[in-house]
Amino acid sequence: KEKLEIKKNTKTTGITFFEWYEKWLNLYKIGKVKEATLADYKSVIKNIPKNLLDKDIKSIKLEDIIILLNSISAERQKQKVYELLKAIFDKAENHKIIKDNIMKLIDKPKHKKSKGIALNLEQQKLFIEKCDTNRFGDLYKLILFQGLRIGEALGLTSDNINLNNLTITINKTINQENKFDTTKNEQSNRCIPIFKPSINIIKNLKVDNNTRLF
């Protein structure tokens, strides 16, 4: 009687870069970081080509990463891609998914931070004139007068305004998904005086019941 030798398939199935990225999000990021940060990760991942996303993470070579980073011209975007890749590969190494962490061989790309330039008095006057004919003019003027970030201004609700004490409490923002979120950091939570040019803007908004000003 002929015996048939049955060979067991001992080949293990690898995990693609994108599969590990999704697992990394679920394990370490979702529910632990701000929604805006998650949205940023989802934006940055779009810089990585599909052929690399679908590749077994163990088979990604050093030159693959170098070519990818060299293809990104914007310095800050290149830095964000590097930071995301490093975080993903570091955790893959910790989980023993990969043996050699190629990101340890790549230096962080440099990014020269641009310095903001304040408007002079003439520019401020012109800006305010343009705001008077813009549907979002009150928002822009309040940002200018109070020194607010755009997300902070959009996150203002009527309970943040105290017209008796003439103060504004900053304790939340609106994120990229148009949802309430925490401020950039703990130091961003603050109570500031309402400056004179802002008083009429706020009074004319006529909001109540903790609704958003904008």
Side-chain angles (χ1 to χ4, degrees):
K1 189 176 180 180
E2 185 179 358
K3 293 182 179 180
L4 296 177
E5 185 179 354
I6 302 175
K7 295 182 179 180
K8 293 182 180 180
N9 185 4
T10 57
K11 183 179 179 182
T12 58
T13 303
I15 182 170
T16 68
F17 176 86
F18 188 73
E19 288 171 340
W20 175 244
Y21 158 76
E22 289 190 314
K23 194 168 186 179
W24 169 79
L25 280 181
N26 284 305
L27 287 173
Y28 297 104
K29 301 301 174 182
I30 294 176
K32 300 177 180 67
V33 300
K34 294 173 61 174
E35 287 295 325
T37 303
L38 289 176
D40 199 35
Y41 290 143
K42 292 173 184 178
S43 174
V44 173
I45 198 73
K46 294 177 183 178
N47 290 271
I48 301 176
K50 190 176 186 303
N51 66 311
L52 206 59
L53 293 175
D54 294 339
K55 201 169 187 177
D56 188 323
I57 193 169
K58 295 189 296 293
S59 66
I60 295 177
K61 298 181 175 62
L62 178 63
E63 64 182 77
D64 295 327
I65 303 300
I66 293 174
I67 290 171
L68 167 62
L69 292 174
N70 287 342
S71 69
I72 302 171
S73 57
E75 289 182 355
R76 182 59 186 135
Q77 194 64 22
K78 182 184 294 187
Q79 199 174 65
K80 284 187 175 184
V81 171
Y82 168 88
E83 290 166 351
L84 178 63
L85 289 171
K86 188 175 187 309
I88 290 172
F89 274 88
D90 283 352
K91 289 301 183 184
E93 182 184 22
N94 292 345
H95 282 259
K96 302 188 185 307
I97 292 172
I98 57 174
K99 183 178 179 181
D100 299 315
N101 186 350
I102 55 178
M103 293 305 298
K104 290 181 177 179
L105 303 174
I106 303 176
D107 294 329
K108 183 176 180 177
K110 295 181 180 179
H111 166 60
K112 186 177 180 180
K113 189 174 181 180
S114 58
K115 189 176 181 179
I117 302 174
L119 299 178
N120 59 39
L121 292 177
E122 185 178 346
Q123 290 169 332
Q124 288 184 42
K125 183 179 178 181
L126 179 61
F127 180 81
I128 293 169
E129 288 176 358
K130 295 294 183 182
C131 285
D132 290 337
T133 58
N134 188 288
R135 59 182 293 203
F136 302 114
D138 285 342
L139 170 64
Y140 298 145
K141 285 192 288 187
L142 193 66
I143 290 172
L144 173 68
F145 298 149
Q146 297 295 145
L148 303 177
R149 298 182 178 94
I150 180 68
E152 293 173 344
L154 290 173
L156 289 174
T157 49
S158 57
D159 59 315
N160 295 134
I161 307 299
N162 188 324
L163 288 174
N164 292 324
N165 295 331
L166 291 179
T167 57
I168 299 177
T169 300
I170 311 297
N171 56 15
K172 57 188 177 300
T173 66
I174 291 294
N175 61 30
Q176 294 175 350
E177 297 181 353
N178 200 33
K179 296 179 180 178
F180 285 116
D181 206 341
T182 56
T183 54
K184 185 177 181 181
N185 49 49
E186 190 63 32
Q187 291 72 35
S188 297
N189 292 332
R190 59 201 189 276
C191 183
I192 59 176
I194 298 176
F195 299 112
K196 191 173 181 179
S198 303
I199 295 175
N200 285 335
I201 293 175
I202 293 171
K203 285 183 176 179
N204 290 335
L205 291 174
K206 296 178 182 178
V207 292
D208 52 16
N209 298 323
N210 298 340
T211 53
R212 285 172 58 179
L213 269 64
F214 301 102

